[in-house]
Amino acid sequence: MRIFISTGEVSGDLQGSLLITALKRQAVTIGLELKIVALGGEKMVEAGAILLGNTSSIGSVGIQEGLPYVLPTFQVQRRAIASLKQDPPDLVVLIDYMSPNIGIGTYMKQHLPDVPVVYYIAPQEWAWSVNFRRTNRIVGFTDKLLAIFPQEARYFREQGAKVIWVGHPLVDRMQDAPSRQAARATLGIAPEQIAIALLPASRHQELKYLLPIIFQAAQTIQAKLPKVHFWIPLSLEVYKQPIEEAIERYGLQATVVSGQQMEVFAAADLAISKSGTVNLELALLNVPQVVVYRLSSLTAWIARKILKGSITFASPPNLVVMKPIVPEFLQEQATPENIIQAAMELLLNPSRREQTLLDYQEMRRSLGEVGVCDRAAQEILQMRPNNS
């Protein structure tokens, strides 16, 4: 059976790799041989996909920020569609990656309507839908939508999609996470040492808009707590040089780590992070965090005119329960001063930390039971044409 999977960016590559591993596991139990071709990244290749295009670093949030990626995205999308045309798969799985995947899904519906399309981790229309046009397109070409959040399942079901709520795949991934003690031992962090994880960037634009404010905040925190040490796990190796140069510029006591993201998270007393999937990973590991996000002023202005303040929250932990579990600072609010104040409170105020951990427990209940990737894989393999 030939499956085409399409996703982009660092988080999509991770989710794609977890899904491929589960698909292969489930295929063995039913005596099925799989060939997986994909748009994705290195993690998906390691899991066994044949890559048609590497999309892990082609991604941005925002209108102005997206301009440099328009051409590379179009080229990768065109290559994928040419492959689909020449050698149609038995099944298509789309993971997040909104604009390119809407293009691919629309192509499938128009030109290869007999090939089932599954959307797994749909775009967050349920959280910030501006109009129903995009939602209707997604529902129009999707034969089965595998939802990771209860609100997402409810939203798309109400719009007419065939929806199965499988839970969030990070619930599975966190089963392999080391304990705090083990992670600290691996990284050589003494029990009494204050370790703060800094997570400034998984996209290029974030080096420009987020790294300076996060590092400025870190600089002041270091002045207040001289024994603090910062840990920066790389999302992509290409960011190593600019991050190391910035560490020197800001005079931070910091270590850049490759390939040990989970250890850094598990060992941390606190994280100062960009908004994204990473916030859920930290929450599942019970790490208090401060979340920040900034876009260009032009993008922010356009978004406000269109969205008219309809984004309640940006970070996934807050979105899951629709309440402010973690402090998040967006746009003008994303200042070093705000980060420092929130960070120091989470580090030094035991009751504030305790409340965060209680809220994390509530959030955890909305993410489903362990076995998410296998449930998703079973639902996907049930869609194979000769199984209908």
Side-chain angles (χ1 to χ4, degrees), residues 292-294 304 328-336 338-339:
V292 294
Y293 214 81
R294 250 190 201 178
R304 282 176 179 140
E328 57 174 58
F329 301 111
L330 310 179
Q331 219 50 28
E332 295 85 357
Q333 295 298 308
T335 63
N338 282 342
I339 296 168

Side-chain angles (χ1 to χ4, degrees), residues 128-207:
W128 40 263
S129 184
V130 184
N131 60 48
F132 289 116
R133 204 175 74 204
R134 232 177 357 217
T135 298
N136 290 338
R137 282 182 73 184
I138 292 166
V139 171
F141 62 67
T142 301
D143 296 290
K144 188 186 275 187
L145 193 143
L146 303 179
I148 60 172
F149 295 113
Q151 302 94 314
E152 174 196 2
R154 203 175 305 121
Y155 172 83
F156 280 104
R157 199 173 281 127
E158 283 168 2
Q159 305 313 315
K162 184 187 178 189
V163 179
I164 312 284
W165 178 54
V166 290
H168 202 292
L170 289 181
V171 171
D172 290 356
R173 180 166 149 80
M174 290 305 144
Q175 298 304 298
D176 301 327
S179 67
R180 176 183 161 85
Q181 289 78 6
R184 287 191 154 227
T186 302
L187 296 168
I189 303 172
E192 68 283 358
Q193 170 91 64
I194 297 175
I196 298 180
L198 301 181
L199 307 160
S202 65
R203 300 180 180 100
H204 203 271
Q205 70 186 70
E206 292 159 353
L207 290 173

Side-chain angles (χ1 to χ4, degrees), residues 217-228 230:
Q219 207 176 31
T220 304
I221 291 167
Q222 185 173 289
K224 289 173 185 278
L225 304 167
K227 288 193 166 65
V228 77
F230 299 103

Side-chain angles (χ1 to χ4, degrees), residues 66 75 84 100 111 290 293 317 321 355 371:
Q75 287 167 336
L84 291 167
H111 300 280
V290 180
Y293 214 81
V321 288
Q355 187 57 53

Side-chain angles (χ1 to χ4, degrees), residues 10-11 14-15 17-18 43 168-178 259-263 265 277-278 281 284-285 369-373:
V10 173
S11 59
L14 170 63
Q15 305 300 3
S17 69
L18 297 174
K43 284 190 169 67
H168 202 292
L170 289 181
V171 171
D172 290 356
R173 180 166 149 80
M174 290 305 144
Q175 298 304 298
D176 301 327
Q260 289 184 303
Q261 189 182 52
M262 196 77 86
E263 283 77 6
F265 291 178
T277 308
V278 73
E281 294 182 74
L284 288 167
L285 288 169
E369 297 304 315
V370 173
V372 173
C373 297

